[in-house]
Structures are given as C-alpha cells and as structure tokens.
Amino acid sequence: MTILSNIGEQMNNLYYSEKDNFFNKIKDYISNSNRELIIISPYIQINALDNLLSNCKAKVTIITTWKLRDIQLGTSELELYNYCKEKNIFLYLNQRVHLKTFINDYSSCLFGSANITFKGLALVENYNYELITKVEKLNIDSILYFKQILNESVLVNNEVYEMYKEKINELEDLPDTEEPNLIDIESRSKFLISALPMSWDIDELFQLYSSGFKTESKEKINCAIHDIVLYQIPLNLNYNDFKELLNERFFISPFVIKLLDFIDGEPRYFGRVKEWIQNNCEDVPVPSRRDLTGNIQVLYNWIVDLSNGKYQVDRPNYSERIYRVR
C-alpha cells in the first residue's frame, strides 16, 4: 500500500528544528485546523502539548505509546490522561506507533521525526535535530493507513490509567527485561461509538467502495472509510460477497450483539435506544444524547437492511420503534 504517493513533491518544503521556527510551523498548522485534528506521537510531554494546542479550535484525538521505561524516564507522562479528560481530548494507546504526524481532517498532514517534547520541538537550548514536511492532500491509501492505526488503538479510560499507575508504583528500578505489553488490540474496549457504523446506506457504501471512494461528499468518504476499516472488508469484492461479509462482521460485533439482546426483549423506542447506548458506551468523554441521534439512525438502517426481515422499524406514535419480528 502506498502511504504518501506524493511525498517526492514535498521534499522542497522541509522544515528544520530551530532554523525554520519549527515549533511555530506546527502550531500555525494546528491553529488552522477547524474540524478534526489527529495527533500521532510516541512521546508526549504535557507542557509541550499544551503550548502547541493553545490556539486549537478543532476536536483533537491523540494516539501515543506508554511504555514503563519511558514513563519512568519522563519521556511519556501518565498524567496526559487527566489533561486530555480536562480538555475533552480522546487519548488512545498503540504500542506499534513510531511515526509522528499531525493530520488535519484527513485532508492534509504534517509529518516528520519530532515527538511532542521540549527537545523534539526545539523549545530548549539542547534541542534535537528534527525535520517535518507538509502533504497538502492525502490520498485514499494514506487515509486508510491512518484510520487503520486508529482502529487498532486502545482508548484510555480510568481502568487503563490505574493499571499503568499501579505497574509504575511497583517498579523500583528501570526494568532490563523485554517491555511488557499491557495493552493489545484484543483488550481494547468493544463498546465505543467508533465501533458502530457511520454510512447511512449500505448500497451507497458499496458504490463508494467499488468506485475507489470517489464522490464530492467528503463526509460520505470519511464514513465509508470508517466502515471498511471497522469491519475489515478487503478491496475488490463483488456486491454479494461484500454484503455477505459485512453482514457476518456486523452481527458479531459485541456492541451490536448486546444491543440486539436489549431490543429482543421488547420493542424499543428511539429515546430508549439512545439512553441505552449512552449508558453502555465506554467513550471518554461520554457523548451527549443529541450527538447520538445520527448514530442510532444509521444503526436502525443497518440492522433492518442486513437482518433480512428479522428486525423492522415503524412509527406508531411520534417516535420510531425498532423490534424483532416474531
């Protein structure tokens, strides 16, 4: 898979540590991000991050790594979790991450060698030699790559934070043994809003998928890519194979299984389903019920379409109701 096919065109736009006001180049890029900013960096120091985000208006998602030795050395900081909670930032862990990048709404990115530390951003005298460049337009392969990293990452919650804190407190000396993997893909939460589909219509999803995600609607592209990555659908399937695999993987999702158990008990109105999802999702911060409206409408469409008549939606009063056909 080609990650950044136009990288060669960017080589004349390299920025070097202190020489090119490295920190301000990154901060200006962040300040011009209005919708969604994804930050991927193995090492993050809170004060350096706070300086970068001081003018940020976008919704921020961070993917980093926590390793016990790094935490002991201070190159990673556990209290980053509490900082992110306070700032309504989503914090994820991925122990395979080594790249450093800032992604603006999955349309462009800055990438390079610098971690978000005072040395990495040339904010101290003894700074690291680093460089960055900007890619003005990400192609589909690049977006899929970044989405896959996010999909394989683990959202940090209180339980994860306390587990790391306990492990650090147990250590007296820096360990010489192989770094333990406390978080892996199998242990991540299955009850996140990001574990639910986003595309409004499955047939339209297939059309985007089969056309190489070509449409004028950036929102539809983002939703389609999310769903293809979420359900791990390989490229170039025909319609029947596509829908069969999507059906199989949708209905084995733990979130969907648990929701259908709730629905199977009795018909559920829209407000009750919204309440159930809010009470059962493990997002930090928890989304508001108003924010969940679109997610539930999409869920209704997918459940009805993929269940082959097993579930239906009607509107006996003012609110939609989903139920299992007996």
Side-chain angles (χ1 to χ4, degrees):
M1 179 179 288
T2 301
I3 303 308
L4 297 170
S5 62
N6 54 345
I7 186 172
E9 301 172 8
Q10 309 297 327
M11 288 296 112
N12 60 346
N13 292 322
L14 291 176
Y15 304 112
Y16 310 93
S17 298
E18 189 180 65
K19 174 185 174 183
D20 290 307
N21 211 345
F22 199 65
F23 172 80
N24 284 339
K25 292 286 186 185
I26 300 174
K27 188 168 183 175
D28 288 345
Y29 179 79
I30 289 174
S31 299
N32 290 323
S33 302
N34 295 317
R35 293 182 57 193
E36 184 176 13
L37 177 72
I38 297 90
I39 298 173
I40 306 177
S41 177
Y43 303 129
I44 300 177
Q45 294 174 338
I46 296 169
N47 288 340
L49 176 67
D50 192 53
N51 283 333
L52 276 181
L53 297 181
S54 60
N55 297 324
C56 181
K57 301 176 286 294
K59 181 185 79 172
V60 179
T61 296
I62 293 174
I63 305 173
T64 189
T65 61
W66 277 353
K67 297 182 179 178
L68 300 182
R69 183 185 294 272
D70 297 332
I71 295 169
Q72 282 188 301
L73 290 172
T75 52
S76 295
E77 297 180 355
L78 281 182
E79 291 311 307
L80 176 64
Y81 171 62
N82 289 320
Y83 172 86
C84 288
K85 280 182 66 176
E86 180 183 339
K87 302 290 185 179
N88 286 323
I89 295 171
F90 291 94
L91 177 64
Y92 288 82
L93 297 183
N94 190 317
Q95 304 297 54
R96 296 175 61 191
V97 160
H98 191 262
L99 73 160
K100 299 89 178 174
T101 184
F102 302 82
I103 307 161
N104 178 13
D105 201 28
Y106 290 104
S107 59
S108 67
C109 78
L110 289 181
F111 77 99
S113 62
N115 284 293
I116 304 176
T117 63
F118 280 87
K119 282 191 172 184
L121 297 175
L123 294 175
V124 293
E125 183 176 350
N126 189 28
Y127 60 84
N128 296 337
Y129 292 112
E130 309 278 7
L131 56 80
I132 57 171
T133 191
K134 182 178 181 181
V135 176
E136 294 288 351
K137 185 175 182 180
L138 296 178
N139 59 28
I140 288 297
D141 284 348
S142 307
I143 297 170
L144 285 167
Y145 183 73
F146 291 135
K147 290 276 191 178
Q148 186 66 39
I149 293 172
L150 179 59
N151 188 57
E152 292 181 357
S153 300
V154 177
L155 182 72
V156 181
N157 55 23
N158 290 336
E159 182 180 356
V160 172
Y161 169 76
E162 292 297 335
M163 178 181 66
Y164 268 89
K165 194 172 181 181
E166 179 181 349
K167 291 294 182 182
I168 289 296
N169 290 336
E170 291 174 358
L171 296 176
E172 294 181 2
D173 300 312
L174 291 175
D176 295 325
T177 56
E178 183 179 348
E179 182 66 35
N181 185 14
L182 299 178
I183 292 293
D184 57 40
I185 189 171
E186 295 303 321
S187 66
R188 63 180 177 165
S189 173
K190 304 297 192 300
F191 296 93
L192 303 175
I193 298 304
S194 60
L196 299 176
M198 292 179 63
S199 298
W200 184 264
D201 181 86
I202 292 173
D203 285 345
E204 185 177 62
L205 171 62
F206 177 75
Q207 291 174 7
L208 283 171
Y209 159 88
S210 59
S211 69
F213 304 95
K214 294 178 182 177
T215 178
E216 294 181 356
S217 171
K218 186 172 182 179
E219 181 180 359
K220 288 182 179 180
I221 291 175
N222 288 338
C223 291
I225 289 174
H226 169 274
D227 295 336
I228 297 304
V229 170
L230 176 64
Y231 297 111
Q232 299 180 345
I233 306 298
L235 297 176
N236 302 318
L237 295 179
N238 61 43
Y239 178 76
N240 290 334
D241 291 341
F242 172 88
K243 194 164 183 180
E244 181 179 351
L245 186 58
L246 193 64
N247 182 304
E248 174 188 329
R249 294 184 174 171
F250 175 71
F251 284 113
I252 64 171
S253 162
F255 210 146
V256 173
I257 290 172
K258 190 172 181 179
L259 173 61
L260 292 181
D261 285 341
F262 174 69
I263 294 171
D264 285 350
E266 61 181 275
R268 303 292 183 178
Y269 284 93
F270 198 88
R272 288 286 288 118
V273 174
K274 186 182 291 189
E275 178 185 18
W276 183 93
I277 289 180
Q278 187 185 49
N279 290 337
N280 283 272
C281 77
E282 298 177 9
D283 287 72
V284 181
V286 177
S288 69
R289 293 190 186 179
R290 176 179 297 178
D291 291 338
L292 290 173
T293 298
N295 297 101
I296 297 170
Q297 290 171 335
V298 167
L299 261 179
Y300 278 20
N301 289 345
W302 280 55
I303 292 171
V304 171
D305 193 353
L306 293 176
S307 69
N308 297 317
K310 189 175 180 180
Y311 293 91
Q312 292 293 332
V313 172
D314 63 9
R315 191 189 293 268
N317 297 309
Y318 294 103
S319 178
E320 287 185 335
R321 178 181 66 171
I322 189 168
Y323 61 95
R324 181 171 180 172
V325 177
R326 303 296 180 182

